[in-house]
Amino acid sequence: MSDNPGAEGGKTVKIGVLGRGTVGSALIGLLEERAAVIEAETGLHPVVSGVLTRSQGDGEQIVDEADVIVEVMGGLEPAEALVRRALMAGKPVVTANKQLLSRKGDQLFPLASEHGAALRYEAAVGGAVPIVRVLGDTLSATPVERVHGIVNGTTNYILTAMAKRGESYAEALKDAQDAGFAEADPTEDVSGSDAAAKMALLAMLAFGTWVSIDDVDHTGIDKLDLQDIAYAREFDLALKLVGTAEKLADGSVSVRVHPMFLPMTHPLASVDGSYNAVTIESPHVEEITLQGPGAGGLPTASAVLGDLISVLHGADEPKHAWVTLPKAADVDSAFYLHFEVDDEPGVLSQVAQVLGLQKISIRSVAQKGSGDGARLVMITHRAPESAMAAAIGMISGLGFVRGEPRAIRVFDEENA
Ligand code: HSE
């Protein structure tokens, strides 16, 4: 930190800000607005010593001249090189970059420890929802069995707009982009990759094992059909993009992100708009749900600022002594199934027979439409996902099935 006197006569701390998008701009505003509070809290007056934008600034020089680095530029390069440069110089880094951490965290966290530099990332998951601190610190000695999360604000905003206001997918995506929720490339949001990166980090915190985004199976919302949302409402189900991180009885870990139908009674079912929410399940604490604004400039910048204050306080860094846990080979899920079929005798029984062969039990079934527009809509009980994939493959090959079958996971209260 610098000995230069700050505005109130205290020491200054030079903050190098890498990125001036939605979050960077909000942070720079907050640093000015909250400067007196930061100084009162930490005894240090924050000064933005450099800002790297797409067109201006020298990243290396900004890192070299600052005391603390805030990385809110996103993407892998040059973010990774600049974060490494800061850590190797022993400078604390606060980042919101979930893609970087979920791909390179196995190198970056040890590098930070080796150089005694803080590497904080509350803003990388859940926007303003303080989930990183709760899992990594408050619950660090609690045996977590499962974490469910709505961890992408853009997709939750889109699904809410489609389900509640009947907006088209494209219209809702544009609104989410205009509001500053979406990533620079919204494909990361709608493909589930943003949520997968965040669930990898939550799994790492929950189970104390390194999880890369490459270990997270994910499906996005870009291929959903409005019809399915409408049918599922008849079964009293809400559609959300849900991340699940769980430790199975055999000690293996499964982390996945998929559209999922939730019963209206589930705590995540009523989380709407750009809000995020995470439920943590443990025999010691039953279930804890944290919820709040999950995207956007100010909520995310407020999480960055909280980390910055911790760093300026010199708070102890969480340790990353990871254990090695295997990746689960298969998991059980209940499914919603939609088949376009010929409207003929025996069709339903043949579909049911294939499901039965794979030991998949049907919970409810309905026929929609008739003649050329006939469709079978089913909800199953839980079964291994590999068995479901095999059954769908077999059903697709039956002569009376038209179009691609659709399968969406359903949260099953009985067993989950
Ligand atoms: N694009 C992200 C979201 C926000 O929509 O949740 C930053 O993580």
Side-chain angles (χ1 to χ4, degrees):
M1 316 302 153
S2 161
D3 283 334
N4 295 335
E8 309 298 324
K11 290 181 179 174
T12 60
V13 56
K14 289 183 279 183
I15 320 271
V17 181
L18 306 176
R20 200 177 60 191
T22 311
V23 178
S25 305
L27 178 74
I28 291 165
L30 268 189
L31 280 170
E32 205 176 310
E33 186 190 316
R34 308 293 290 163
V37 176
I38 298 168
E39 188 161 353
E41 277 272 326
T42 65
L44 295 166
H45 182 78
V47 173
V48 176
S49 53
V51 181
L52 181 66
T53 72
R54 282 181 201 279
S55 56
Q56 280 183 322
D58 176 329
E60 293 187 352
Q61 192 183 346
I62 290 170
V63 168
D64 294 347
E65 287 174 0
D67 299 313
V68 180
I69 307 305
V70 173
E71 188 275 299
V72 283
M73 62 197 307
L76 296 184
E77 284 299 346
E80 182 184 349
L82 295 173
V83 166
R84 280 182 184 273
R85 186 177 183 93
L87 295 175
M88 286 164 71
K91 296 186 182 185
V93 172
V94 175
T95 179
N97 195 333
K98 54 264 161 180
Q99 290 290 343
L100 176 62
L101 293 181
S102 65
R103 289 173 199 279
K104 298 296 175 80
D106 55 340
Q107 298 163 31
L108 294 176
F109 289 114
L111 186 70
S113 301
E114 190 187 321
H115 293 274
L119 176 55
R120 294 211 161 225
Y121 54 101
E122 183 65 69
V125 188
V129 183
I131 182 66
V132 171
R133 203 168 288 227
V134 167
L135 273 177
D137 188 355
T138 320
L139 298 180
S140 58
T142 303
V144 175
E145 286 181 342
R146 187 181 299 115
V147 177
H148 280 300
I150 293 176
V151 288
N152 181 269
T154 300
T155 47
N156 205 42
Y157 181 93
I158 294 172
L159 291 176
T160 306
M162 287 170 76
K164 301 220 160 148
R165 298 198 293 279
E167 278 183 34
S168 71
Y169 172 82
E171 207 179 344
L173 172 58
K174 180 166 186 317
D175 287 352
Q177 285 177 289
D178 290 347
F181 303 144
E183 295 302 299
D185 175 2
T187 315
E188 276 183 25
D189 297 293
V190 298
S191 68
S193 154
D194 177 82
K198 292 167 176 171
M199 290 309 299
L201 294 174
L202 293 186
M204 174 188 83
L205 289 160
F207 308 128
T209 186
W210 166 247
V211 178
S212 154
I213 185 173
D214 296 332
D215 297 324
V216 184
D217 296 328
H218 60 275
T219 315
I221 65 161
D222 38 353
K223 297 197 175 58
L224 288 174
D225 196 304
L226 258 182
Q227 217 177 31
D228 295 322
I229 300 182
Y231 290 161
R233 222 180 283 133
E234 293 176 25
F235 294 102
D236 229 14
L237 298 168
L239 186 61
K240 299 289 179 189
L241 184 68
V242 177
T244 303
E246 64 185 332
K247 199 170 180 183
L248 305 183
D250 64 3
S252 63
V253 165
S254 165
V255 191
R256 51 201 194 267
V257 173
H258 302 292
M260 186 184 269
F261 285 116
L262 299 172
M264 295 299 181
T265 48
H266 190 279
L268 299 185
S270 56
V271 176
D272 282 341
S274 65
Y275 265 43
N276 281 189
V278 178
T279 61
I280 303 158
E281 295 171 35
S282 160
H284 290 194
V285 297
E286 297 180 16
E287 184 175 284
I288 294 173
T289 302
L290 298 173
Q291 175 178 348
L298 200 53
T300 312
S302 78
V304 171
L305 195 54
D307 273 350
L308 203 48
I309 289 178
S310 297
V311 160
L312 299 182
H313 273 310
D316 278 348
E317 283 313 296
K319 301 282 177 291
H320 289 91
W322 292 314
V323 293
T324 303
L325 298 173
K327 186 180 173 186
D330 204 358
V331 288
D332 287 358
S333 292
F335 277 85
Y336 159 101
L337 302 174
H338 176 281
F339 304 106
E340 280 180 48
V341 291
D342 292 341
D343 196 5
E344 286 169 2
V347 164
L348 175 59
S349 75
Q350 286 186 63
V351 170
Q353 199 183 358
V354 173
L355 291 171
L357 273 175
Q358 293 295 334
K359 301 195 171 28
I360 297 167
S361 164
I362 299 168
R363 183 200 282 184
S364 48
V365 59
Q367 176 171 337
K368 300 286 174 186
S370 58
D372 283 351
R375 293 174 298 275
L376 287 177
V377 176
M378 299 179 166
I379 307 271
T380 72
H381 285 288
R382 282 164 70 95
E385 292 198 351
S386 57
M388 183 57 77
I392 290 172
M394 289 164 80
I395 294 169
S396 312
L398 296 173
F400 54 75
V401 174
R402 292 179 269 119
E404 280 289 303
R406 299 204 291 267
I408 298 174
R409 287 158 183 82
V410 177
F411 183 89
D412 187 329
E413 280 177 300
E414 287 163 25
N415 309 308

